[in-house]
Amino acid sequence: MTTETTKETPEAAAVPPSGAAPAKKVPQGHRRLLTRRDRLTLGLMAGLPTILHVALVWVTALASIALAFTTWDGIGFDSIKWVGLQNFKELFEQNPQFWPAVQHNVIWFVVLILIPTPLGLFLAVQLDKKIRFSRVYQTAFFLPVVMSMAVIGFVWQLIYNPDTGLINSIIGANEPGKYIDWIGDPDLNLWAILVAASWRHAGYMMILYLAGLKGVDPSLREASALDGASEWQTFKNVIFPTLRPTNTVVLVVTIIEALRAFDLVFVFNKGAEGTELLSILVTNNIIGESSRIGYGSAIAVVLLLISLVVIIPYLVATFRKERRA
């Protein structure tokens, strides 16, 4: 007895047997993957944040630009009067606080870029060596960054207190006749506040540079070591040039931090007695006793223009780099 085995080709298997009903064809077309409830939920999740962003950011920004050319005390929309460039003319020519505020913002940037930024780079380089307890050190140095600026201001107020402050107690300047008023003295208060700002900014820079160092190819270090380069030569000639994108981010972030500085100064002395900043002038004119909303908006527009001078070239360079990639 012999058994014959029949092998079917794929073409033969695909042909239905005679007499069998043809298979139903699945209609080709758009399949609705989301139910009506899913679309409603997705619309709320995407639409509500978009509406809030447009209302709270774009609408208010455009309204501030429009109000910069008006005078308004904030009581009733019928009191808004168009004055053209009068607010800007008064700001540039008659306000005795404007140019000192601009100077202080420039000093703020110079100090942040020269002191805490190199310090943050140094800390990042040391922590990148995978020393013991590096996680603990990272947490300790980064802690001021996650703290509120108001809290940092209160902490440093205790340190600068003329009677019981840490600094005066150490240097013996907490006795009658030897007091050093770090906050009240116009020759010292700006620099005292900058020390507190640098304390926070160093941790911020450390994290940015540490992220950049983690992206450096280890083979570059190995090749430099094989060539007999010292640690400093390796960093100067090999590592630091590869941190160019990080340096760009650090520069932009530092400029923005210098322009938007407000919280720390306001907590210390509300921007008085030699600590004027553009952001403080905006606040004092809009929500202060004068309620000169149009004039305060003009100062805000000047601050916006200064920010755009820095941000727009950075965005253009970033987009060009992405297109080339």
Side-chain angles (χ1 to χ4, degrees), residues 10-38:
E11 291 78 3
V15 177
S18 59
K24 294 182 178 180
K25 294 183 178 181
V26 179
Q28 300 295 326
H30 176 69
R31 295 184 180 181
R32 183 172 296 178
L33 300 179
L34 297 177
T35 64
R36 182 177 180 181
R37 182 178 179 181
D38 293 336

Side-chain angles (χ1 to χ4, degrees), residues 164-176:
T164 60
L166 176 64
I167 297 179
N168 280 4
S169 299
I170 292 176
I171 65 177
N174 58 346
E175 300 176 359

